Amino acid sequence: MVSLCQEVNAYAQEHPEQVTDEPAPPVPTEAELLEIAKASKLAELNRVMDDTDKKLVRSTSDLVSALLTPDALTVHLTGAKATNSEQLQQSMCIFARLRSVQEWNRQLRTSVEIAQTVEDVQAIEPVLASSKIAEFMGKE
């Protein structure tokens, strides 16, 4: 049994006037490859920042809740010790960590935008909120 490739090859040799070479697709330029890499990395950073924004909403809610409970309000107004002051401190620290993660990722986004090579872009890794919170909580 003759394979399809062999049949096509035999036909092409018998009828060269009907055979044309298809041009190879154009090879992307370095500038095009850089733009593709930048777009991909910026999309990755945006996904990470969106995830961090969601965590910030939750953290803000926890912080407001801790501030508005009677014990926390007493601590805030009088400086007296309260049972949930530790929760308030933890909420404030997590909130601050999340804000710093967002700032780092904004700076990384700027680094991507000004990168000159694909390798420079690929070397940039987003800062993940979950790893910074785990680090704070001593779970790393």
Side-chain angles (χ1 to χ4, degrees):
M1 183 171 240
V2 179
S3 75
L4 179 61
C5 288
Q6 289 172 330
E7 287 180 31
V8 169
N9 190 36
Y11 181 84
Q13 288 178 1
E14 291 174 15
H15 306 283
E17 72 284 354
Q18 295 183 0
V19 177
T20 60
D21 288 329
E22 290 186 16
V27 176
T29 65
E30 286 295 318
E32 291 169 331
L33 290 173
L34 180 59
E35 288 307 311
I36 292 167
K38 284 181 177 184
S40 176
K41 187 60 72 169
L42 289 171
E44 179 183 4
L45 281 162
N46 287 338
R47 282 190 302 276
V48 168
M49 291 181 75
D50 286 346
D51 183 51
T52 304
D53 283 343
K54 291 173 187 168
K55 287 176 175 52
L56 269 167
V57 168
R58 176 57 187 241
S59 177
T60 302
S61 174
D62 290 347
L63 188 56
V64 169
S65 174
L67 279 170
L68 294 180
T69 57
D71 290 336
L73 189 56
T74 301
V75 169
H76 184 69
L77 295 176
T78 67
K81 295 192 182 208
T83 56
N84 70 344
S85 63
E86 190 174 297
Q87 177 189 355
L88 175 61
Q89 185 65 32
Q90 183 177 356
S91 293
M92 288 174 17
C93 289
I94 290 173
F95 181 81
R97 288 275 174 146
L98 290 170
R99 294 280 306 208
S100 68
V101 164
Q102 288 298 64
E103 181 55 34
W104 290 334
N105 283 324
R106 276 190 215 89
Q107 291 173 7
L108 291 174
R109 195 166 33 199
T110 300
S111 296
V112 168
E113 291 168 350
I114 63 173
Q116 298 296 308
T117 67
V118 172
E119 292 78 18
D120 290 343
V121 172
Q122 291 172 339
I124 297 169
E125 290 298 324
V127 177
L128 303 177
S130 56
S131 65
K132 290 298 173 187
I133 292 172
E135 181 182 303
F136 167 70
M137 302 294 282
K139 295 180 180 178
E140 249 189 350

